[in-house]
Amino acid sequence: MGEKSALICYAARLFSHSLFDIFMSTQRKAISLISGGLDSMLSTRVIMDQGVHVEGINFFTGFCVEGHTHAIRKKDKQKPKRNNALWVAEQLGIKLHIVDVIEEYKEVLLNPAHGYGQNMNPCLDCKGFMVRKALEWIQQHDYDFIITGEVVGQRPMSQRRDTMPVIQRESGAGDLLLRPLSALNLPPTKPEREGWVRREELYDFSGRSRKPQMALAAQFGFEDYSQPAGGCCFLTDKAYSDKLVDMWAHRSSRDYELDDIMMLKVGRHLRPRPHFKLIVAREEGESRFLEGYRKQFTHLFSSSHSGPLVLIDGEVGEDDRLLAARIAARFGQGRDADEVDMEITDPDGQSETLKVQPMPASEIPQDWYV
Amino acid sequence: MSEHQLDARRLLCPMPVIRVQEAIEKLDAGDILQVSCTDPGALQDVPAWCRVHGHRILSAAQTGDEVHIRIEVIKQDTPA
Ligand code: SF4
């Protein structure tokens, strides 16, 4: 469709919607769960085009694949450092509410009733939780219903035909939850039955193919949208999940703070002994990020050669400090030198210089890498 | 109209945006919020959040390791 005819079409649709609204007398309001991916972008636009006032909501669990890590790593500096959820909201011309759910999310992650997916992703419980939070939001703000970009059969855990009703039921949202992209495969929800939205203008997408979404994106003129492969958060990532499991396995409790889960996104992690691990910055951006934790962790850097900042997570004795220094030296420019000066500083600021021989790569067992 | 400060240094995105949002919720139209951040991502994200909510960015700049953003609060109505 040419740009001009698309505009005429859009204007005609808006006009017919305003007539529709006059008949309906009040404009209905919906909140849309915006992840920053294409599906939630499309489902929001579909409902906006029906004359509904839509605002977006995005829940920050601490594990989201957004913003910060892009800022930390230098290799990502070429890419624009954008928050995809905000970018989507801007493209759609809607407000976006970003909600901090870090504390409440712990219970979802630590005790998911439906278990984990392939990695540490509790997707079904997570979706139920987010829809429940969205329900609380619409109740507080006097909105009418909730939209998500879910598609039947799209994801193995949370978007199966048999699990989609679980989300409706367990979140308490029931038939106030509308999935515009898959609505025709699902029983009519209240917004459809009440005529707040026209069911015949919703979609019947299903399965893992992305083609229908891409065609609809092209129809709306959406370009440059993000399509995260595994999901919307780090918990679907194997390397990240391994680090999380390792962290829990070596602590007395599975509890965590935001700093803990941020640090798992940064650096190489090596656990040479059960009671401590090293976090080795991979490049300058990560060193700068880890510098912010120098008052919380014993840390190392080479004073004779250039090299990364290395944090020690755990309690270390004299032998451990030497071992840590030898490993840390291995990652700096002095890796082939006979001796490297490693400055080790405790969180209270006390420091000493250790003269060590860098550990050769061949002496670092692969299973030290978390 | 009053001036307010928000220290969002050491927070990683999107936390500075969330703190700005929480702060602005409590402010009145015309109030000014001055935000300091250390995550360079805030230079994109905070103005983007302000644009979608209709608040006015008076200035946004990075000086050394810090990002400073000055926002004028604009309040918009949602349909009844
Ligand atoms: S990928 Fe992460 S954020 Fe998305 S539903 Fe699964 S657990 Fe939740």
Side-chain angles (χ1 to χ4, degrees), chain A residues 1 9-10 13 15 73 95 117 119 136-137 159-161 167 180 217 225 244 261 265 271 283 286 295 316 332 335:
Chain A
M1 195 177 351
C9 243
Y10 185 57
R13 242 186 2 247
F15 179 68
R73 292 213 67 191
K95 290 185 179 176
N119 293 299
E136 287 170 16
W137 194 96
Q159 299 188 30
R160 293 200 319 250
R161 188 173 296 276
I167 297 170
Y225 44 81
L244 185 62
I261 59 180
K265 297 176 187 173
R271 186 175 290 284
E283 38 89 310
E286 291 193 339
K295 291 208 168 77
V316 281
R335 64 176 68 89

PDB file of all heavy atoms in Angstrom, chain A residues 1 9-10 13 15 73 95 117 119 136-137 159-161 167 180 217 225 244 261 265 271 283 286 295 316 332 335:
ATOM      1  N   MET A   1       0.845  -1.193   0.000  1.00  0.00           N
ATOM      2  CA  MET A   1       0.000   0.000   0.000  1.00  0.00           C
ATOM      3  C   MET A   1       0.887   1.252   0.000  1.00  0.00           C
ATOM      4  O   MET A   1       1.842   1.336   0.772  1.00  0.00           O
ATOM      5  CB  MET A   1      -0.890  -0.026   1.251  1.00  0.00           C
ATOM      6  CG  MET A   1      -2.001   0.951   1.141  1.00  0.00           C
ATOM      7  SD  MET A   1      -3.190   0.980   2.532  1.00  0.00           S
ATOM      8  CE  MET A   1      -2.860  -0.366   3.556  1.00  0.00           C
ATOM      9  N   CYS A   9      -6.568   5.592   4.518  1.00  0.00           N
ATOM     10  CA  CYS A   9      -7.189   4.456   5.204  1.00  0.00           C
ATOM     11  C   CYS A   9      -7.240   4.705   6.709  1.00  0.00           C
ATOM     12  O   CYS A   9      -8.240   4.503   7.369  1.00  0.00           O
ATOM     13  CB  CYS A   9      -6.314   3.229   4.990  1.00  0.00           C
ATOM     14  SG  CYS A   9      -7.104   1.963   4.104  1.00  0.00           S
ATOM     15  N   TYR A  10      -6.094   5.163   7.220  1.00  0.00           N
ATOM     16  CA  TYR A  10      -5.966   5.389   8.656  1.00  0.00           C
ATOM     17  C   TYR A  10      -6.947   6.486   9.095  1.00  0.00           C
ATOM     18  O   TYR A  10      -7.659   6.341  10.087  1.00  0.00           O
ATOM     19  CB  TYR A  10      -4.508   5.771   8.957  1.00  0.00           C
ATOM     20  CG  TYR A  10      -4.223   5.916  10.431  1.00  0.00           C
ATOM     21  CD1 TYR A  10      -4.457   4.869  11.307  1.00  0.00           C
ATOM     22  CD2 TYR A  10      -3.713   7.114  10.942  1.00  0.00           C
ATOM     23  CE1 TYR A  10      -4.197   4.987  12.658  1.00  0.00           C
ATOM     24  CE2 TYR A  10      -3.455   7.242  12.299  1.00  0.00           C
ATOM     25  CZ  TYR A  10      -3.696   6.170  13.146  1.00  0.00           C
ATOM     26  OH  TYR A  10      -3.441   6.307  14.492  1.00  0.00           O
ATOM     27  N   ARG A  13     -10.398   5.225   9.113  1.00  0.00           N
ATOM     28  CA  ARG A  13     -10.636   4.329  10.247  1.00  0.00           C
ATOM     29  C   ARG A  13     -10.837   5.135  11.522  1.00  0.00           C
ATOM     30  O   ARG A  13     -11.752   4.894  12.303  1.00  0.00           O
ATOM     31  CB  ARG A  13      -9.434   3.396  10.419  1.00  0.00           C
ATOM     32  CG  ARG A  13      -9.851   1.975  10.225  1.00  0.00           C
ATOM     33  CD  ARG A  13      -8.808   0.941  10.501  1.00  0.00           C
ATOM     34  NE  ARG A  13      -7.530   1.346  10.950  1.00  0.00           N
ATOM     35  CZ  ARG A  13      -6.405   1.220  10.238  1.00  0.00           C
ATOM     36  NH1 ARG A  13      -6.462   0.732   9.028  1.00  0.00           N
ATOM     37  NH2 ARG A  13      -5.258   1.576  10.750  1.00  0.00           N
ATOM     38  N   PHE A  15     -11.953   8.161  11.706  1.00  0.00           N
ATOM     39  CA  PHE A  15     -13.240   8.841  11.629  1.00  0.00           C
ATOM     40  C   PHE A  15     -14.361   7.876  12.033  1.00  0.00           C
ATOM     41  O   PHE A  15     -15.221   8.191  12.847  1.00  0.00           O
ATOM     42  CB  PHE A  15     -13.452   9.359  10.199  1.00  0.00           C
ATOM     43  CG  PHE A  15     -14.781  10.062  10.033  1.00  0.00           C
ATOM     44  CD1 PHE A  15     -15.019  11.266  10.674  1.00  0.00           C
ATOM     45  CD2 PHE A  15     -15.778   9.496   9.250  1.00  0.00           C
ATOM     46  CE1 PHE A  15     -16.251  11.902  10.535  1.00  0.00           C
ATOM     47  CE2 PHE A  15     -17.007  10.137   9.110  1.00  0.00           C
ATOM     48  CZ  PHE A  15     -17.239  11.336   9.752  1.00  0.00           C
ATOM     49  N   ARG A  73      28.804  -2.350  28.527  1.00  0.00           N
ATOM     50  CA  ARG A  73      29.787  -2.944  27.611  1.00  0.00           C
ATOM     51  C   ARG A  73      30.072  -2.056  26.413  1.00  0.00           C
ATOM     52  O   ARG A  73      29.183  -1.593  25.731  1.00  0.00           O
ATOM     53  CB  ARG A  73      29.308  -4.319  27.146  1.00  0.00           C
ATOM     54  CG  ARG A  73      29.299  -5.308  28.295  1.00  0.00           C
ATOM     55  CD  ARG A  73      29.612  -6.694  27.827  1.00  0.00           C
ATOM     56  NE  ARG A  73      30.958  -6.829  27.357  1.00  0.00           N
ATOM     57  CZ  ARG A  73      31.411  -7.887  26.712  1.00  0.00           C
ATOM     58  NH1 ARG A  73      30.605  -8.871  26.452  1.00  0.00           N
ATOM     59  NH2 ARG A  73      32.648  -7.949  26.309  1.00  0.00           N
ATOM     60  N   LYS A  95       1.616   6.771  26.604  1.00  0.00           N
ATOM     61  CA  LYS A  95       2.396   6.887  27.838  1.00  0.00           C
ATOM     62  C   LYS A  95       2.890   5.512  28.239  1.00  0.00           C
ATOM     63  O   LYS A  95       2.227   4.512  27.969  1.00  0.00           O
ATOM     64  CB  LYS A  95       1.517   7.444  28.961  1.00  0.00           C
ATOM     65  CG  LYS A  95       1.156   8.901  28.765  1.00  0.00           C
ATOM     66  CD  LYS A  95       0.403   9.432  29.957  1.00  0.00           C
ATOM     67  CE  LYS A  95       0.070  10.902  29.743  1.00  0.00           C
ATOM     68  NZ  LYS A  95      -0.735  11.435  30.836  1.00  0.00           N
ATOM     69  N   GLY A 117      11.295 -22.862  33.010  1.00  0.00           N
ATOM     70  CA  GLY A 117      11.378 -23.291  31.613  1.00  0.00           C
ATOM     71  C   GLY A 117      12.724 -23.952  31.379  1.00  0.00           C
ATOM     72  O   GLY A 117      13.294 -24.574  32.290  1.00  0.00           O
ATOM     73  N   ASN A 119      15.656 -22.738  31.175  1.00  0.00           N
ATOM     74  CA  ASN A 119      16.678 -22.241  32.090  1.00  0.00           C
ATOM     75  C   ASN A 119      15.985 -21.817  33.385  1.00  0.00           C
ATOM     76  O   ASN A 119      15.109 -22.520  33.838  1.00  0.00           O
ATOM     77  CB  ASN A 119      17.497 -21.153  31.394  1.00  0.00           C
ATOM     78  CG  ASN A 119      18.296 -21.775  30.249  1.00  0.00           C
ATOM     79  OD1 ASN A 119      19.123 -22.651  30.471  1.00  0.00           O
ATOM     80  ND2 ASN A 119      18.010 -21.380  29.018  1.00  0.00           N
ATOM     81  N   GLU A 136      -4.122  -4.849  39.172  1.00  0.00           N
ATOM     82  CA  GLU A 136      -4.115  -3.899  40.299  1.00  0.00           C
ATOM     83  C   GLU A 136      -4.058  -2.474  39.753  1.00  0.00           C
ATOM     84  O   GLU A 136      -4.737  -1.576  40.245  1.00  0.00           O
ATOM     85  CB  GLU A 136      -2.881  -4.131  41.192  1.00  0.00           C
ATOM     86  CG  GLU A 136      -2.969  -5.378  42.030  1.00  0.00           C
ATOM     87  CD  GLU A 136      -1.628  -5.710  42.729  1.00  0.00           C
ATOM     88  OE1 GLU A 136      -0.724  -4.838  42.819  1.00  0.00           O
ATOM     89  OE2 GLU A 136      -1.503  -6.861  43.154  1.00  0.00           O
ATOM     90  N   TRP A 137      -3.260  -2.293  38.725  1.00  0.00           N
ATOM     91  CA  TRP A 137      -3.089  -0.949  38.150  1.00  0.00           C
ATOM     92  C   TRP A 137      -4.406  -0.448  37.563  1.00  0.00           C
ATOM     93  O   TRP A 137      -4.800   0.698  37.791  1.00  0.00           O
ATOM     94  CB  TRP A 137      -1.983  -0.980  37.088  1.00  0.00           C
ATOM     95  CG  TRP A 137      -1.491   0.386  36.688  1.00  0.00           C
ATOM     96  CD1 TRP A 137      -0.406   1.030  37.191  1.00  0.00           C
ATOM     97  CD2 TRP A 137      -2.060   1.270  35.714  1.00  0.00           C
ATOM     98  NE1 TRP A 137      -0.264   2.264  36.591  1.00  0.00           N
ATOM     99  CE2 TRP A 137      -1.256   2.441  35.688  1.00  0.00           C
ATOM    100  CE3 TRP A 137      -3.170   1.200  34.872  1.00  0.00           C
ATOM    101  CZ2 TRP A 137      -1.527   3.520  34.840  1.00  0.00           C
ATOM    102  CZ3 TRP A 137      -3.441   2.281  34.029  1.00  0.00           C
ATOM    103  CH2 TRP A 137      -2.625   3.421  34.022  1.00  0.00           C
ATOM    104  N   GLN A 159       2.811 -19.527  26.629  1.00  0.00           N
ATOM    105  CA  GLN A 159       1.871 -19.182  25.554  1.00  0.00           C
ATOM    106  C   GLN A 159       1.376 -20.439  24.834  1.00  0.00           C
ATOM    107  O   GLN A 159       1.363 -20.511  23.616  1.00  0.00           O
ATOM    108  CB  GLN A 159       2.524 -18.197  24.582  1.00  0.00           C
ATOM    109  CG  GLN A 159       2.915 -16.898  25.276  1.00  0.00           C
ATOM    110  CD  GLN A 159       3.389 -15.816  24.322  1.00  0.00           C
ATOM    111  OE1 GLN A 159       2.976 -15.742  23.178  1.00  0.00           O
ATOM    112  NE2 GLN A 159       4.266 -14.963  24.796  1.00  0.00           N
ATOM    113  N   ARG A 160       0.992 -21.454  25.637  1.00  0.00           N
ATOM    114  CA  ARG A 160       0.377 -22.644  25.048  1.00  0.00           C
ATOM    115  C   ARG A 160      -1.123 -22.518  25.201  1.00  0.00           C
ATOM    116  O   ARG A 160      -1.615 -21.824  26.083  1.00  0.00           O
ATOM    117  CB  ARG A 160       0.854 -23.899  25.794  1.00  0.00           C
ATOM    118  CG  ARG A 160       2.335 -24.211  25.603  1.00  0.00           C
ATOM    119  CD  ARG A 160       2.608 -25.670  25.942  1.00  0.00           C
ATOM    120  NE  ARG A 160       1.893 -26.125  27.131  1.00  0.00           N
ATOM    121  CZ  ARG A 160       2.487 -26.423  28.293  1.00  0.00           C
ATOM    122  NH1 ARG A 160       3.790 -26.310  28.421  1.00  0.00           N
ATOM    123  NH2 ARG A 160       1.767 -26.849  29.306  1.00  0.00           N
ATOM    124  N   ARG A 161      -1.855 -23.264  24.354  1.00  0.00           N
ATOM    125  CA  ARG A 161      -3.317 -23.189  24.429  1.00  0.00           C
ATOM    126  C   ARG A 161      -3.810 -23.508  25.840  1.00  0.00           C
ATOM    127  O   ARG A 161      -4.751 -22.898  26.340  1.00  0.00           O
ATOM    128  CB  ARG A 161      -3.936 -24.142  23.397  1.00  0.00           C
ATOM    129  CG  ARG A 161      -5.448 -23.993  23.266  1.00  0.00           C
ATOM    130  CD  ARG A 161      -5.971 -24.819  22.133  1.00  0.00           C
ATOM    131  NE  ARG A 161      -5.458 -24.374  20.844  1.00  0.00           N
ATOM    132  CZ  ARG A 161      -5.978 -23.376  20.134  1.00  0.00           C
ATOM    133  NH1 ARG A 161      -7.027 -22.719  20.599  1.00  0.00           N
ATOM    134  NH2 ARG A 161      -5.467 -23.020  18.991  1.00  0.00           N
ATOM    135  N   ILE A 167      -3.061 -18.200  33.038  1.00  0.00           N
ATOM    136  CA  ILE A 167      -2.653 -16.817  33.321  1.00  0.00           C
ATOM    137  C   ILE A 167      -3.886 -15.982  33.668  1.00  0.00           C
ATOM    138  O   ILE A 167      -3.876 -15.218  34.637  1.00  0.00           O
ATOM    139  CB  ILE A 167      -1.889 -16.228  32.115  1.00  0.00           C
ATOM    140  CG1 ILE A 167      -0.589 -17.026  31.880  1.00  0.00           C
ATOM    141  CG2 ILE A 167      -1.590 -14.742  32.328  1.00  0.00           C
ATOM    142  CD1 ILE A 167       0.130 -16.688  30.588  1.00  0.00           C
ATOM    143  N   PRO A 180      -5.051  -9.446  21.639  1.00  0.00           N
ATOM    144  CA  PRO A 180      -5.601  -9.077  20.330  1.00  0.00           C
ATOM    145  C   PRO A 180      -5.048  -9.899  19.165  1.00  0.00           C
ATOM    146  O   PRO A 180      -5.763 -10.133  18.196  1.00  0.00           O
ATOM    147  CB  PRO A 180      -5.196  -7.607  20.177  1.00  0.00           C
ATOM    148  CG  PRO A 180      -4.970  -7.131  21.561  1.00  0.00           C
ATOM    149  CD  PRO A 180      -4.440  -8.292  22.329  1.00  0.00           C
ATOM    150  N   ALA A 217       3.279  -5.811  10.961  1.00  0.00           N
ATOM    151  CA  ALA A 217       4.216  -4.712  11.238  1.00  0.00           C
ATOM    152  C   ALA A 217       4.416  -3.883   9.972  1.00  0.00           C
ATOM    153  O   ALA A 217       4.411  -2.640  10.018  1.00  0.00           O
ATOM    154  CB  ALA A 217       5.548  -5.255  11.731  1.00  0.00           C
ATOM    155  N   TYR A 225      12.036  -2.586  14.794  1.00  0.00           N
ATOM    156  CA  TYR A 225      11.551  -3.075  16.089  1.00  0.00           C
ATOM    157  C   TYR A 225      12.473  -4.186  16.583  1.00  0.00           C
ATOM    158  O   TYR A 225      13.190  -4.812  15.807  1.00  0.00           O
ATOM    159  CB  TYR A 225      10.106  -3.592  15.975  1.00  0.00           C
ATOM    160  CG  TYR A 225       9.869  -4.446  14.748  1.00  0.00           C
ATOM    161  CD1 TYR A 225      10.226  -5.784  14.729  1.00  0.00           C
ATOM    162  CD2 TYR A 225       9.314  -3.892  13.591  1.00  0.00           C
ATOM    163  CE1 TYR A 225      10.034  -6.550  13.604  1.00  0.00           C
ATOM    164  CE2 TYR A 225       9.123  -4.656  12.449  1.00  0.00           C
ATOM    165  CZ  TYR A 225       9.485  -5.994  12.469  1.00  0.00           C
ATOM    166  OH  TYR A 225       9.309  -6.759  11.351  1.00  0.00           O
ATOM    167  N   LEU A 244      23.495 -17.708  38.046  1.00  0.00           N
ATOM    168  CA  LEU A 244      22.524 -17.516  39.124  1.00  0.00           C
ATOM    169  C   LEU A 244      22.481 -18.759  40.011  1.00  0.00           C
ATOM    170  O   LEU A 244      22.505 -18.665  41.243  1.00  0.00           O
ATOM    171  CB  LEU A 244      21.147 -17.242  38.498  1.00  0.00           C
ATOM    172  CG  LEU A 244      20.002 -16.900  39.431  1.00  0.00           C
ATOM    173  CD1 LEU A 244      20.283 -15.609  40.186  1.00  0.00           C
ATOM    174  CD2 LEU A 244      18.689 -16.761  38.656  1.00  0.00           C
ATOM    175  N   ILE A 261      22.229  -9.501  41.087  1.00  0.00           N
ATOM    176  CA  ILE A 261      21.782  -9.984  39.775  1.00  0.00           C
ATOM    177  C   ILE A 261      22.342  -9.125  38.635  1.00  0.00           C
ATOM    178  O   ILE A 261      22.506  -9.593  37.529  1.00  0.00           O
ATOM    179  CB  ILE A 261      20.245 -10.136  39.714  1.00  0.00           C
ATOM    180  CG1 ILE A 261      19.519  -8.835  40.000  1.00  0.00           C
ATOM    181  CG2 ILE A 261      19.785 -11.223  40.656  1.00  0.00           C
ATOM    182  CD1 ILE A 261      18.012  -8.954  39.951  1.00  0.00           C
ATOM    183  N   LYS A 265      25.513 -10.123  35.202  1.00  0.00           N
ATOM    184  CA  LYS A 265      25.468  -9.758  33.781  1.00  0.00           C
ATOM    185  C   LYS A 265      26.823  -9.252  33.302  1.00  0.00           C
ATOM    186  O   LYS A 265      27.005  -8.989  32.125  1.00  0.00           O
ATOM    187  CB  LYS A 265      24.448  -8.624  33.561  1.00  0.00           C
ATOM    188  CG  LYS A 265      23.027  -9.005  33.908  1.00  0.00           C
ATOM    189  CD  LYS A 265      22.112  -7.799  33.758  1.00  0.00           C
ATOM    190  CE  LYS A 265      20.721  -8.101  34.262  1.00  0.00           C
ATOM    191  NZ  LYS A 265      19.867  -6.920  34.289  1.00  0.00           N
ATOM    192  N   ARG A 271      35.121 -19.590  39.563  1.00  0.00           N
ATOM    193  CA  ARG A 271      35.051 -20.036  40.960  1.00  0.00           C
ATOM    194  C   ARG A 271      36.144 -21.079  41.206  1.00  0.00           C
ATOM    195  O   ARG A 271      35.944 -22.268  41.005  1.00  0.00           O
ATOM    196  CB  ARG A 271      33.664 -20.617  41.273  1.00  0.00           C
ATOM    197  CG  ARG A 271      33.483 -20.954  42.742  1.00  0.00           C
ATOM    198  CD  ARG A 271      32.068 -21.407  43.069  1.00  0.00           C
ATOM    199  NE  ARG A 271      31.066 -20.368  42.990  1.00  0.00           N
ATOM    200  CZ  ARG A 271      30.892 -19.406  43.901  1.00  0.00           C
ATOM    201  NH1 ARG A 271      31.664 -19.357  44.959  1.00  0.00           N
ATOM    202  NH2 ARG A 271      29.949 -18.501  43.749  1.00  0.00           N
ATOM    203  N   GLU A 283      36.301  -5.710  29.671  1.00  0.00           N
ATOM    204  CA  GLU A 283      36.822  -4.527  28.989  1.00  0.00           C
ATOM    205  C   GLU A 283      36.569  -3.294  29.833  1.00  0.00           C
ATOM    206  O   GLU A 283      36.016  -3.385  30.914  1.00  0.00           O
ATOM    207  CB  GLU A 283      36.303  -4.425  27.544  1.00  0.00           C
ATOM    208  CG  GLU A 283      34.881  -4.849  27.351  1.00  0.00           C
ATOM    209  CD  GLU A 283      33.922  -3.730  27.550  1.00  0.00           C
ATOM    210  OE1 GLU A 283      33.995  -3.015  28.567  1.00  0.00           O
ATOM    211  OE2 GLU A 283      33.052  -3.577  26.701  1.00  0.00           O
ATOM    212  N   GLU A 286      33.244  -2.465  31.559  1.00  0.00           N
ATOM    213  CA  GLU A 286      32.933  -3.338  32.693  1.00  0.00           C
ATOM    214  C   GLU A 286      33.820  -2.993  33.888  1.00  0.00           C
ATOM    215  O   GLU A 286      33.350  -3.030  35.031  1.00  0.00           O
ATOM    216  CB  GLU A 286      33.125  -4.808  32.293  1.00  0.00           C
ATOM    217  CG  GLU A 286      32.077  -5.263  31.299  1.00  0.00           C
ATOM    218  CD  GLU A 286      32.036  -6.779  31.111  1.00  0.00           C
ATOM    219  OE1 GLU A 286      33.021  -7.472  31.417  1.00  0.00           O
ATOM    220  OE2 GLU A 286      30.997  -7.263  30.644  1.00  0.00           O
ATOM    221  N   LYS A 295      33.910  -0.640  47.307  1.00  0.00           N
ATOM    222  CA  LYS A 295      33.719  -0.502  48.761  1.00  0.00           C
ATOM    223  C   LYS A 295      32.977  -1.705  49.341  1.00  0.00           C
ATOM    224  O   LYS A 295      32.818  -1.829  50.539  1.00  0.00           O
ATOM    225  CB  LYS A 295      32.964   0.791  49.062  1.00  0.00           C
ATOM    226  CG  LYS A 295      33.803   2.036  48.782  1.00  0.00           C
ATOM    227  CD  LYS A 295      33.392   3.198  49.660  1.00  0.00           C
ATOM    228  CE  LYS A 295      34.390   4.324  49.610  1.00  0.00           C
ATOM    229  NZ  LYS A 295      34.296   5.142  48.391  1.00  0.00           N
ATOM    230  N   VAL A 316      38.042 -14.623  51.783  1.00  0.00           N
ATOM    231  CA  VAL A 316      39.287 -15.239  51.344  1.00  0.00           C
ATOM    232  C   VAL A 316      40.377 -15.174  52.421  1.00  0.00           C
ATOM    233  O   VAL A 316      40.530 -14.173  53.101  1.00  0.00           O
ATOM    234  CB  VAL A 316      39.819 -14.568  50.054  1.00  0.00           C
ATOM    235  CG1 VAL A 316      39.072 -15.058  48.833  1.00  0.00           C
ATOM    236  CG2 VAL A 316      39.790 -13.052  50.141  1.00  0.00           C
ATOM    237  N   GLY A 332      45.587  -9.907  32.523  1.00  0.00           N
ATOM    238  CA  GLY A 332      46.142  -8.593  32.186  1.00  0.00           C
ATOM    239  C   GLY A 332      47.264  -8.694  31.160  1.00  0.00           C
ATOM    240  O   GLY A 332      47.603  -9.787  30.703  1.00  0.00           O
ATOM    241  N   ARG A 335      50.384 -11.174  31.476  1.00  0.00           N
ATOM    242  CA  ARG A 335      50.102 -12.620  31.548  1.00  0.00           C
ATOM    243  C   ARG A 335      51.333 -13.488  31.227  1.00  0.00           C
ATOM    244  O   ARG A 335      51.456 -14.586  31.742  1.00  0.00           O
ATOM    245  CB  ARG A 335      48.931 -13.005  30.634  1.00  0.00           C
ATOM    246  CG  ARG A 335      49.165 -12.794  29.151  1.00  0.00           C
ATOM    247  CD  ARG A 335      47.957 -13.299  28.341  1.00  0.00           C
ATOM    248  NE  ARG A 335      46.789 -12.445  28.585  1.00  0.00           N
ATOM    249  CZ  ARG A 335      46.501 -11.363  27.871  1.00  0.00           C
ATOM    250  NH1 ARG A 335      47.272 -11.004  26.855  1.00  0.00           N
ATOM    251  NH2 ARG A 335      45.450 -10.638  28.144  1.00  0.00           N
TER     252      ARG A 335
END
